[in-house]
Amino acid sequence: MGVDSPSVRSAVSRLKRRGLLVAGRTPDGAAGYGLSDGARQLLEDGDRRIYGRSSARSGGGWLLAVFSVPEEERHKRHLLRSRLARLGFGTAAPGVWIAPAHVHEETRHTLERLGLAPYVDLFKGGHLGFEPTAEAVGRWWDLAALARQHHAFLDAHEPVLRRWSRRRMVAPQEAYRDYLLALDSWRRLPYADPGLPTALLPGDWPGVRAARVFAALHSRLRDAGARFVNLSVR
């Protein structure tokens, strides 16, 4: 993958400091690392977001996050805003953030893990007016910027899918590399675009095609890439 050893060690150190990795032992007694409970929850939430795009766009109402942070703890205000943005929330008004309702559980887990839950109230509901909801969505999210991210993914990985579609054999090492690069690119998109309902997006929305490309790469390459990992570990 072109990642050198010092970079890997640095990344592992950061994950330890964040409490996501904990020291442990393998069954044969070798020193190693395991996932903390918080890391497992983080990965479970991420799996639902990254691999569950088809159901996410079906609608189901909205989630509102309304927060108030005392001035003496204003550093938490910045952390709260940045985390809501990273979860894919748009801004409906100062102190009022909005996202599709299906991200509720992940949002709750994130706020609890970071100790931010006491500052936030969460509400589920529908948009009742006064402007059409599609116009409001265009105000809450920067759709042009999101579309550019989807197009960048397509430019990088649609040719990879075409190349694999012409091949009958799937080489495990190549599959691992191409799948991991696609996954690394794709995993950011379901957070930037949190599954906004298709009916509220422009008719040529590239996110639909990007999701299909990733799903096809996942179907074609994931199992072969896993075989390469399993062989390398033995």
Side-chain angles (χ1 to χ4, degrees):
M1 299 304 300
V3 182
D4 58 32
S5 297
S7 297
V8 173
R9 286 193 292 270
S10 176
V12 170
S13 295
R14 287 196 301 272
L15 292 171
K16 283 180 61 181
R17 287 196 301 272
R18 291 174 58 191
L20 298 176
L21 289 182
V22 292
R25 293 280 176 179
T26 64
D28 61 1
Y33 297 100
L35 293 173
S36 67
D37 291 341
R40 291 184 187 279
Q41 184 67 71
L42 187 67
L43 290 176
E44 289 172 6
D45 288 338
D47 284 352
R48 283 192 295 272
R49 179 79 71 112
I50 291 167
Y51 299 111
R53 302 299 283 166
S54 58
S55 59
R57 291 197 182 277
S58 61
W62 299 99
L63 176 69
L64 288 181
V66 181
F67 65 84
S68 178
V69 180
E71 182 61 25
E72 61 269 20
E73 297 182 278
R74 55 183 177 274
H75 64 284
K76 292 186 178 179
R77 189 181 305 139
H78 172 73
L79 177 60
L80 185 49
R81 288 171 178 158
S82 66
R83 286 298 167 148
L84 290 175
R86 286 170 62 177
L87 286 166
F89 277 74
T91 307
V96 181
W97 293 60
I98 187 167
H102 65 82
V103 306
H104 167 244
E105 286 300 312
E106 183 181 1
T107 300
R108 182 172 63 82
H109 294 156
T110 299
L111 296 176
E112 289 174 346
R113 185 171 61 251
L114 297 174
L116 296 172
Y119 306 98
V120 185
D121 287 303
L122 298 177
F123 303 88
K124 284 185 179 180
H127 180 235
L128 302 180
F130 291 93
E131 64 181 322
T133 304
E135 294 181 14
V137 165
R139 181 165 47 82
W140 299 334
W141 282 272
D142 186 345
L143 296 183
L146 294 180
R148 287 194 294 272
Q149 292 183 55
H150 285 300
H151 281 302
F153 175 84
L154 289 167
D155 290 344
H157 298 288
E158 205 166 28
V160 177
L161 177 60
R162 286 196 294 267
R163 187 171 70 248
W164 279 104
S165 298
R166 294 192 294 266
R167 298 174 61 172
R168 298 181 62 183
M169 300 295 293
V170 181
Q173 185 170 352
E174 290 181 62
Y176 170 76
R177 180 185 182 279
D178 285 351
Y179 178 66
L180 190 58
L181 290 174
L183 176 60
D184 189 50
S185 295
W186 169 255
R187 67 184 175 86
R188 298 170 175 83
L189 286 170
Y191 288 92
D193 169 4
L196 299 171
T198 305
L200 303 177
L201 295 168
D204 58 349
W205 186 245
V208 177
R209 194 165 106 236
R212 285 199 296 262
V213 168
F214 175 72
L217 286 168
H218 176 80
S219 177
R220 178 74 168 159
L221 303 179
R222 192 269 176 194
D223 289 347
R227 287 197 297 273
F228 171 71
V229 172
N230 291 334
L231 289 171
S232 300
V233 169
R234 290 174 186 166

